Amino acid sequence: YRALSFIDGEIKPYTLVDANFSIRPAFLNGVMWSLGVTNLMDKKHQEFVQGSILGRLIMTRLQATF
């Protein structure tokens, strides 16, 4: 795929697998813990012309509601 841009270059096609998990433990009233993984298989890829090579990204979140 070749997009029109003022920066000339080509991005190779890629497919990624993402996963997300959240839990609200009953004993922690109003608390939620989440874990998200982008690019689960750690496929090295580039999303922008002249951009960095990207790999897996792991994020966690702790949310309290009161």
Side-chain angles (χ1 to χ4, degrees):
Y1 175 74
R2 190 166 176 86
L4 296 175
S5 173
F6 63 91
I7 300 174
D8 191 30
E10 190 173 330
I11 301 295
K12 295 178 183 175
Y14 58 90
T15 301
L16 303 178
V17 176
D18 299 341
N20 293 291
F21 172 78
S22 296
I23 187 169
R24 290 181 187 268
F27 64 93
L28 294 175
N29 190 23
V31 174
M32 180 178 73
W33 176 72
S34 301
L35 177 69
V37 182
T38 302
N39 193 2
L40 187 66
M41 305 304 177
D42 198 25
K43 179 171 175 70
K44 305 298 186 217
H45 69 285
Q46 189 176 17
E47 295 184 359
F48 301 99
V49 173
Q50 297 181 357
S52 298
I53 303 296
L54 303 175
R56 182 182 299 128
L57 173 65
I58 301 172
M59 299 168 284
T60 188
R61 175 178 170 172
L62 185 63
Q63 178 179 331
T65 311
F66 48 93

